[in-house]
Amino acid sequence: MFKAILINKDEKGYRADLAELDETDLPAGEVLVKVLYSTLNYKDGLAITGKGPVVRAFPMVPGIDFAGEVLDSSSPDYQPGDQVILNGWGVGEGYWGGLAQKARVKAEWLIPLPKGLTPKQTLAIGTAGYTAMLCVMALQQHGLQPSAGEVLVTGAAGGVGSFATMLMSKLGFTVVASSGRPEESAYLHQLGASEVIERASLSTPGKPLAKERWAAVIDSVGSHTLANACAAVKSNGAVAACGLAQGMDFPTTVAPFILRGITLYGINSVTVDKAKRISAWEQLSQLCDFTIVNAIAHEISLAEAIPLAADLIAGKIRGRLIVDVNR
Ligand code: NDP
């Protein structure tokens, strides 16, 4: 038997509980993994609370990422004892995920544990850090250089925002962090932000074009914030958009695109090909300063993940929550 968070939706309603499962309960798959760490991401918060239509089949074990050790494998790519990680692929949404002590998944969804990182360090970075890295890679591919000027990071005190702030600052960029939590100013400066601005300055309806300020933007918030960010991007600058913490809408005009030639990159971490995943994780292992990562990530137990899901969706959690599923 092993422990897992199990989400059910039936005549008794929508609920997430800590359950005892048997290995035979696990879905079919090529690789059985002993999960060591998972994390609580925004999507997991939506799944556990039922605040968003994330779960596509019931009962469901949430958890869109995990790190662990292979127990059994029918795939030639993995042997018992191999250390592996998984991010995305619909795990925790349509397939049972990582908020459990065991998981059985397709071999192609796994990648080996990144060199130089422990399972705990990898999941301290987790899907949020990996998504931030994909945003950074999109801006690098755009040709962005630190000399281009200030980079805006929105939702900066959240998981993706914290990593985006740290990574861009490590790469020598001047980062302006937008946050609704002025009390997290010292934290954001510790991550490398040179200035912290109040998110209210971006979150209400603005003009189609504003004074040019940002060389680039990493946005995990969407809605008016993304629209206002685009309106103030300098000519030929770029925006990497990955989230919807404020809303899924995007109330903008074509003006920044056709008058300033800005580019909007959409980032989807779920179905990235294996080579790009490995490259993103290699860069994360080189760029992450673990004194800072340890300030971003806080460890919780599997049982604690259930009540903390609501706090995460309410924007009350600073940085990231790493889940030790065996505690
Ligand atoms: P968090 O909850 O950790 O962070 C979100 C942050 O957004 C909050 O900390 C807060 O930052 C800000 N925020 C929250 N509510 C509002 C609001 N109403 N208006 C403006 N800002 C708000 O989540 P994550 O960082 O894990 O994820 C952020 C987003 O990115 C989510 O929408 C998530 O679904 C998405 N995501 C997408 C991925 C992809 O592949 N595209 C992968 C991972 C995440 P502050 O307090 O600093 O203002």
Side-chain angles (χ1 to χ4, degrees):
M1 300 297 281
F2 65 92
K3 288 198 183 99
I5 293 178
L6 200 65
I7 301 174
N8 273 290
K9 188 184 177 191
D10 52 27
E11 64 285 351
K12 289 190 212 146
Y14 191 104
R15 61 202 188 278
D17 300 298
L18 197 60
E20 287 275 340
L21 299 178
D22 190 88
E23 224 169 79
T24 55
D25 295 326
L26 286 169
E30 296 151 307
V31 187
L32 177 68
V33 180
K34 174 181 161 55
V35 179
L36 299 172
Y37 293 98
S38 184
T39 71
L40 198 63
N41 293 279
Y42 193 85
K43 221 179 229 176
D44 304 320
L46 291 176
I48 290 172
T49 58
K51 290 238 162 81
V54 165
V55 177
R56 299 196 299 272
F58 296 92
M60 176 58 58
V61 174
I64 64 168
D65 54 17
F66 64 74
E69 198 173 292
V70 173
L71 291 173
D72 192 22
S73 167
S74 61
S75 158
D77 296 339
Y78 294 101
Q79 313 301 323
D82 287 350
Q83 293 194 302
V84 291
I85 63 164
L86 185 149
N87 301 98
W89 297 117
V91 166
E93 302 177 59
Y95 310 94
W96 282 18
L99 285 166
Q101 291 171 325
K102 286 184 185 174
R104 195 185 280 123
V105 295
K106 286 188 185 173
E108 67 193 47
W109 294 341
L110 297 166
I111 61 169
L113 185 74
K115 281 197 187 74
L117 296 181
T118 64
K120 186 172 175 180
Q121 286 174 326
T122 308
L123 268 275
I125 299 167
T127 299
Y130 159 66
T131 304
M133 189 70 234
L134 293 174
C135 292
V136 171
M137 285 161 74
L139 298 180
Q140 285 174 324
Q141 230 169 340
H142 187 78
L144 185 73
Q145 297 290 334
S147 56
E150 294 172 312
V151 174
L152 172 69
V153 173
T154 65
V160 175
S162 292
F163 274 93
T165 302
M166 181 190 74
L167 293 169
M168 289 305 273
S169 132
K170 273 266 162 202
L171 288 164
F173 289 90
T174 305
V175 179
V176 176
S178 160
S179 177
R181 290 179 274 178
E183 68 276 18
E184 299 299 357
S185 229
Y187 164 75
L188 291 165
H189 284 295
Q190 186 193 356
L191 301 187
S194 59
E195 186 185 341
V196 178
I197 60 169
E198 175 51 56
R199 84 177 183 206
S201 65
L202 291 165
S203 59
T204 52
K207 294 179 183 160
L209 283 176
K211 188 164 177 274
E212 293 182 47
R213 176 164 184 192
W214 315 118
V217 179
I218 296 181
D219 176 67
S220 59
V221 169
S223 191
H224 292 294
T225 301
L226 176 58
N228 287 323
C230 288
V233 171
K234 292 186 196 177
S235 286
N236 303 314
V239 178
C242 69
L244 43 65
Q246 183 182 0
M248 204 192 252
D249 57 327
F250 181 32
T252 188
T253 72
V254 295
F257 302 94
I258 63 172
L259 299 176
R260 291 186 181 156
I262 77 158
T263 303
L264 178 60
Y265 293 96
I267 306 300
N268 172 18
S269 67
V270 178
T271 50
V272 174
D273 68 58
K274 195 167 181 173
K276 192 168 177 184
R277 277 170 196 265
I278 290 173
S279 162
W281 278 105
E282 267 171 16
Q283 293 186 65
L284 282 163
S285 73
Q286 285 156 18
L287 286 171
C288 283
D289 172 343
F290 277 89
T291 336
I292 295 178
V293 173
N294 291 341
I296 299 175
H298 305 275
E299 190 182 300
I300 59 169
S301 68
L302 195 55
E304 286 170 314
I306 299 174
L308 285 170
D311 287 353
L312 183 83
I313 298 306
K316 291 185 189 160
I317 303 292
R318 180 177 96 181
R320 303 198 17 76
L321 294 172
I322 172 165
V323 185
D324 178 349
V325 298
N326 297 300
R327 141 162 121 77

